[in-house]
């Protein structure tokens, strides 16, 4: 599965985005090390703070299905479903990804099949707080 495939799957996931309050639609696709993929979209709520981002929807779905090892995520998004810029994962999603993913986990954000940026999770969340700090 290459990054263009991931981009197109993330766009598909974005179609199911439920975002009546922000009208900012997001789709994500998470690639597991075993090749399985899990899609997610943002799911908003009238009680705004309970909104779930697309990245966390995808991750929680994967974990629910027994996945533990992850290779990459691709995220797309835009106002009214129009992808005009890179949809960078929010801080909360970076932290949640860091619970399960290694420093070199890849984060793709794309505007088109030919315009996809790649980051490492450790560069998006440097000096992170993680389970290693909690000891045994
Ligand atoms: N959103 C995501 O789905 N992922 C992010 O990383 C950033 C924000 C969603 C949440 C909300 O539904 C909308 O985008 C506007 O914040």
């Amino acid at each position: 599965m290459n990054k263009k495939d991931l981009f197109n799957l993330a766009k598909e996931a974005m179609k199911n985005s439920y975002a009546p309050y922000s009208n900012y639609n997001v789709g994500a696709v998470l690639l597991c090390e075993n090749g399985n993929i899990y899609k997610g979209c943002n799911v908003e709520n009238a009680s705004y703070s309970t909104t779930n981002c697309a990245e966390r929807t995808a991750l929680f779905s994967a974990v629910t299905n027994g996945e533990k090892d992850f290779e990459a995520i691709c995220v797309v998004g835009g106002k009214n479903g129009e992808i005009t810029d890179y949809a960078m994962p929010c801080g909360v999603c970076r932290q949640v990804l860091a619970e399960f993913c290694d420093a070199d986990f890849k984060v793709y954000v794309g505007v088109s099949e030919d315009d996809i940026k790649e980051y490492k999770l450790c560069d998006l969340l440097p000096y992170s707080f993680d389970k290693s700090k909690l000891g045994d």
Side-chain angles (χ1 to χ4, degrees), residues 18-19 22 24 26 41-44 51-55 88-90 93:
Y18 176 74
S22 72
Y24 187 87
V26 186
C41 63
N42 56 332
V43 183
E44 297 190 345
T51 290
N52 210 60
C53 289
E55 299 90 319
M88 299 303 298
C90 76
C93 288

Side-chain angles (χ1 to χ4, degrees), residues 31-36 67 69-71 102:
L31 175 65
C32 304
E33 278 177 8
N34 61 15
N36 290 343
E67 307 288 0
D69 302 306
F70 305 108
E71 190 174 320
D102 294 336

